[in-house]
Amino acid sequence: MERDTQFIGQSGAFLDAVERASRAAPMLRPVLVVGERGTGKELIAERLHRLSNRWEEPLVIMNCAALPETLIEAELFGHEAGAFTGATRSREGRFEEADKGTLFLDELGTLSMGAQERLLRAVEYGEVTRIGSSRPTRVDVRIVAATNEDLPKLAEQGRFRADLLDRLSFEVITLPPLRAREGDIVVLAEFFARRMAAELHWDNWPGFAPHVMQQLEDYAWPGNVRELRNVVERAVYRWDDWDEPIGHVQFDPFDSPWKPLGERKDEAHREAAPRARVASAKPRYDDIDDLRNAVDSHERAILEHALGKNRWNQRKTAEALGLSYDQLRHCIKKHGLAEKQD
């Protein structure tokens, strides 16, 4: 597969989903791919196409959420000249473009009820009718659809056609979120980081500092693999000391002491800005059975984060944390962090 469409991972949950896609690929039946944003739904769709006997035919991709409702049907089924304002010439829709191949419908849950009804007919009878035409056109298209919505729940609420859902769900492949893929965060972070380092022409890859790798593993990754890639590549390209392990990672690219707060009704919110933010998992207070060790661990994590962020410049770190230089030196010695600088 292409450079940006590789499957990287070793967890059982991830490999099970990939294996299910491989098994379903030759069947030529509709497949529904379900997963959170950034989990790789489009990669699964491509795998389903490439491993089928249609691999030499078109793979047509349409994001159902990218178009206004008034244009979705015209985009899917095409239109004749003069069918509506602005339709100056005939145009074939995505179904006709994908004839003999695969049509991937991303964000399926955003389709209007009218578009769902016409989609059902196309799936059931293999016919599409352009807007403004009375003659149906036969098409041979394999449908792969993707969503991050709970379609059965939408069907119960009357917001998605139950008969269409039945027709499209011959096989349902549910992709695990990154937080459930045991061991894959390390593998993916190393892959994206090494690739970015090569792109920047680094002579070698120094790796991640232990505290940074721990931060990566502790983070919840709401944006999944796509977010991980951005975070890792940003950390690598911002790092100046190519001989030292990556010592700082920023999860929120908008996080800044000068971040605009927008209009606030409460003036107190304008004046109260946090001096520092440390990306970490929410503490589990019920698990704490040694307060002193818990406090020391938290203090060490803050120090590691601040030192990495300031490239181990101790005077800048002390200023950022509101400490004197001697106080910071005492904390570094207390937690045995001096050795990491040597």
Side-chain angles (χ1 to χ4, degrees), residues 307 312 314 329 332-333 335-342:
L307 286 165
W312 278 87
Q314 295 179 14
R329 290 292 303 166
I332 290 174
K333 183 176 180 181
H335 293 290
L337 297 177
E339 294 82 357
K340 303 181 74 154
Q341 175 72 352
D342 298 333

Side-chain angles (χ1 to χ4, degrees), residues 194-270:
R194 287 177 179 274
R195 195 171 69 177
M196 189 64 180
E199 186 177 328
L200 295 171
H201 305 294
W202 288 19
D203 294 331
N204 58 69
W205 165 238
F208 292 102
H211 70 281
V212 168
M213 186 56 73
Q214 189 62 54
Q215 286 178 337
L216 293 175
E217 292 192 81
D218 289 344
Y219 187 63
W221 299 112
N224 292 289
V225 178
R226 186 183 297 120
E227 182 183 14
L228 173 66
R229 173 180 171 177
N230 285 339
V231 167
V232 167
E233 290 184 347
R234 180 167 58 244
V236 173
Y237 111 88
R238 286 181 176 179
W239 192 247
D240 295 327
D241 193 344
W242 299 357
D243 295 322
E244 291 294 324
I246 305 296
H248 176 65
V249 61
Q250 183 178 17
F251 293 92
D252 180 3
F254 296 97
D255 188 18
S256 168
W258 302 282
K259 179 179 179 179
L261 299 178
E263 294 185 6
R264 298 283 184 89
K265 293 181 179 180
D266 186 356
E267 273 308 313
H269 284 290
R270 297 185 180 183

Side-chain angles (χ1 to χ4, degrees), residues 114-287:
Q116 290 178 36
E117 183 175 356
R118 297 192 66 182
L119 176 60
L120 175 62
R121 180 172 181 82
V123 174
E124 283 191 337
Y125 300 108
E127 293 181 348
V128 296
T129 303
R130 294 183 184 181
I131 295 177
S133 173
S134 59
R135 294 181 301 172
T137 301
R138 297 287 300 177
V139 289
D140 176 16
V141 175
R142 195 235 186 129
I143 301 292
V144 177
T147 184
N148 58 10
E149 300 276 0
D150 185 345
L151 291 186
K153 184 176 181 180
L154 293 184
E156 290 178 2
Q157 297 171 348
R159 296 164 54 195
F160 195 87
R161 291 186 64 107
D163 46 2
L164 177 59
L165 181 59
D166 292 339
R167 197 67 180 83
L168 294 179
S169 56
F170 168 79
E171 176 64 286
V172 178
I173 299 172
T174 303
L175 299 180
L178 184 56
R179 60 185 175 274
R181 293 171 54 176
E182 186 176 357
D184 281 357
I185 291 175
V186 174
V187 173
L188 285 161
E190 282 286 330
F191 173 78
F192 291 135
R194 287 177 179 274
R195 195 171 69 177
M196 189 64 180
E199 186 177 328
L200 295 171
H201 305 294
W202 288 19
D203 294 331
N204 58 69
W205 165 238
F208 292 102
H211 70 281
V212 168
M213 186 56 73
Q214 189 62 54
Q215 286 178 337
L216 293 175
E217 292 192 81
D218 289 344
Y219 187 63
W221 299 112
N224 292 289
V225 178
R226 186 183 297 120
E227 182 183 14
L228 173 66
R229 173 180 171 177
N230 285 339
V231 167
V232 167
E233 290 184 347
R234 180 167 58 244
V236 173
Y237 111 88
R238 286 181 176 179
W239 192 247
D240 295 327
D241 193 344
W242 299 357
D243 295 322
E244 291 294 324
I246 305 296
H248 176 65
V249 61
Q250 183 178 17
F251 293 92
D252 180 3
F254 296 97
D255 188 18
S256 168
W258 302 282
K259 179 179 179 179
L261 299 178
E263 294 185 6
R264 298 283 184 89
K265 293 181 179 180
D266 186 356
E267 273 308 313
H269 284 290
R270 297 185 180 183
E271 298 176 1
R275 295 191 59 185
R277 300 177 181 178
V278 178
S280 63
K282 185 178 179 179
R284 296 176 56 87
Y285 298 119
D286 290 341
D287 295 341

